[in-house]
């Protein structure tokens, strides 16, 4: 199977490329310099020349607060470009794997894990644009994997955001900052390394569809930060706060733990608990000399 990987130097893209290469997959890495997904001609030229069996798209505009001000750009990258990719995939006969987010849910009406059957209710421009991207693919294609992810962290760091939450917390602690973290938004922190392994398993099944794909368990961002500091042996001054007091521009889900029901139905075991994955990540950082 030949795979074209868009966003190969991003946080998730880096771990997908590494894991799939280790598994001897025929995977072509594409950075934004190789393919700009907002450029229809570039998408068409690059993908028609490769004719992959599967296109994996990790590219997105996902700086959540910025999306509130840059609505047109949110829809250009997260919807219009996704439509282009879906149309090119139709032409090349490729399947499309695309990533969405827990932010398609609001978490104000429900406090138990969301399955793929739950009705989305995004509360931000980012969430709305990602949901529109999902629907566009489902409207145009049959051969797709749409995977909703949550709270990603990986050693490459999020290129779009310039950091990931784990690295940001450790940086603030090392700088001796007083740290305030919201305690009223519940999620599942998820390792990009674990995600890449499950994506590989999913592709082996050939079962297209919509999937929730996260580590298991759930916690608030405050609890996530406390666990990072415990594992990293740091002891900063950290205070829980509320979303209202924190005052971020975009509203975030109050609760967005995802039940990976469709993954289990495809015969794939649940991912490990988020605390185990985080412990491995913190140990690997130490080995990397960070
Ligand atoms: N990060 C999270 O916590 C999180 C949570 C849930 C879902 N997700 C979803 O997971 C996916 C991957 O996230 P990530 O954290 O790996 O993101 P990332 O580190 O920002 O990586 C995105 C990659 O896409 C490339 N890219 C961005 N815009 C592009 C464009 N217009 N054309 C071509 N390439 C472009 C980036 O290249 P440049 O850096 O050169 O622009 C980068 O290589 C996204 O769909 C995101 O919405 C993320």
């Amino acid at each position: 199977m030949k795979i074209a990987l868009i966003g190969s130097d991003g946080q998730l893209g880096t771990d997908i490329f590494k894991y799939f290469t280790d598994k001897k997959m025929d995977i072509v890495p594409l950075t934004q310099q190789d393919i700009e997904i907002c450029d229809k001609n570039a998408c068409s030229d690059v993908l028609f020349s490769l004719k992959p069996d599967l296109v994996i798209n990790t590219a997105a505009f996902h700086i959540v607060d910025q999306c509130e001000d840059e609505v047109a750009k949110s829809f250009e990258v997260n919807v219009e470009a996704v439509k282009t990719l879906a149309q090119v995939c139709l032409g090349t006969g490729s399947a499309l794997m695309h990533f969405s987010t827990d932010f398609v849910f609001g978490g104000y009406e429900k406090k138990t894990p969301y399955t793929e059957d739950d009705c989305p209710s995004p509360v931000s421009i980012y969430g709305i644009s990602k949901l529109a991207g999902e629907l566009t693919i489902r409207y145009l294609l049959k051969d797709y994997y749409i995977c909703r992810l949550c709270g990603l962290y990986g050693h490459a760091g999020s290129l779009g955001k310039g950091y990931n939450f784990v690295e940001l917390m450790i940086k603030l602690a090392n700088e001796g900052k007083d740290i305030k973290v919201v305690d009223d938004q519940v999620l599942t922190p998820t390792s990009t390394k674990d995600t890449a392994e499950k994506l590989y398993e999913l592709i082996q099944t050939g079962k297209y569809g919509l999937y929730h794909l996260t580590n298991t368990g759930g916690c608030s961002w405050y609890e996530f930060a406390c666990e990072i500091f415990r594992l990293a042996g740091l002891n900063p001054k950290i205070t829980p706060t509320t979303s209202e007091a924190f005052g971020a521009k975009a509203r975030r889900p109050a609760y967005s733990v995802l039940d990976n029901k469709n993954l289990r139905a495809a015969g794939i075991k649940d991912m490990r608990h988020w605390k185990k994955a985080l412990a491995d990540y913190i140990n690997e950082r130490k080995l990397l000399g960070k």
Side-chain angles (χ1 to χ4, degrees):
M1 179 192 291
K2 184 175 186 180
I3 299 174
L5 173 64
I6 298 173
S8 58
D9 56 354
Q11 182 167 236
L12 177 61
T14 298
D15 277 330
I16 292 177
F17 185 67
K18 185 168 184 317
Y19 190 75
F20 282 41
T21 304
D22 287 350
K23 288 285 176 187
K24 312 279 181 241
M25 298 289 279
D26 179 9
I27 181 163
V28 181
L30 299 168
T31 67
Q32 195 167 0
Q33 286 197 326
D34 301 315
I35 185 169
E36 164 53 66
I37 62 166
C38 297
D39 179 339
K40 286 183 185 169
N41 292 331
C43 288
S44 185
D45 291 350
V46 173
L47 295 176
F48 268 94
S49 76
L50 288 172
K51 289 218 173 53
D53 302 293
L54 174 69
V55 174
I56 302 182
N57 175 39
T58 72
F61 181 43
H62 61 103
I63 309 174
V64 178
D65 290 323
Q66 221 169 304
C67 288
E68 296 294 308
D69 288 330
E70 298 185 43
V71 178
K73 182 174 173 189
S74 307
F75 278 78
E76 185 189 10
V77 181
N78 297 337
V79 188
E80 181 74 36
V82 171
K83 179 185 171 204
T84 301
L85 289 176
Q87 285 173 328
V88 174
C89 282
L90 274 179
T92 54
S94 316
L96 177 62
M97 174 174 268
H98 179 72
F99 300 103
S100 186
T101 168
D102 56 313
F103 276 44
V104 300
F105 296 111
Y108 291 90
E109 71 291 346
K110 193 168 184 257
K111 299 289 176 222
T112 53
Y114 286 99
T115 74
E116 294 84 352
D117 302 328
D118 281 307
C119 186
S121 51
V123 293
S124 64
I125 294 297
Y126 171 63
I128 292 167
S129 68
K130 292 293 283 188
L131 177 60
E134 285 185 14
L135 295 173
T136 303
I137 292 172
R138 295 172 75 169
Y139 165 58
L140 289 170
L141 286 182
K142 282 199 182 70
D143 296 351
Y144 64 79
Y145 304 98
I146 295 170
C147 301
R148 292 183 181 146
L149 312 176
C150 177
L152 289 185
Y153 61 88
H155 291 293
S158 172
L159 279 184
K161 295 178 185 169
Y163 61 87
N164 68 41
F165 185 77
V166 183
E167 298 302 328
L168 177 65
M169 288 298 113
I170 291 174
K171 178 172 173 287
L172 293 177
N174 286 334
E175 289 169 354
K177 299 263 168 61
D178 286 354
I179 301 168
K180 284 190 178 157
V181 184
V182 295
D183 200 23
D184 58 359
Q185 294 170 22
V186 175
L187 75 154
T188 305
T190 297
S191 142
T192 49
K193 203 172 159 190
D194 287 11
T195 304
E197 290 181 21
K198 286 293 161 183
L199 293 172
Y200 175 80
E201 278 186 58
L202 179 58
I203 289 167
Q204 305 312 305
T205 69
K207 292 181 179 168
Y208 298 120
L210 173 66
Y211 292 93
H212 289 175
L213 213 145
T214 64
N215 283 116
T216 45
C219 61
S220 71
W221 287 100
Y222 172 74
E223 290 165 329
F224 183 14
C226 289
E227 186 65 5
I228 293 165
F229 296 139
R230 191 186 71 77
L231 290 165
L234 295 166
N235 197 17
K237 184 165 179 253
I238 176 165
T239 320
T241 188
T242 62
S243 304
E244 194 181 359
F246 193 80
K249 183 160 245 175
R251 219 170 151 212
R252 265 105 171 144
Y255 179 93
S256 60
V257 174
L258 304 180
D259 181 358
N260 296 197
K261 178 173 151 271
N262 285 357
L263 214 55
R264 287 193 299 278
I268 297 175
K269 278 192 195 149
D270 270 335
M271 287 163 77
R272 59 186 168 162
H273 195 273
W274 70 267
K275 284 190 181 177
K276 285 196 174 152
L278 181 62
D280 274 1
Y281 178 85
I282 298 285
N283 280 334
E284 286 160 9
R285 290 184 87 249
K286 289 176 190 160
L287 294 174
L288 290 168
K290 287 191 186 174

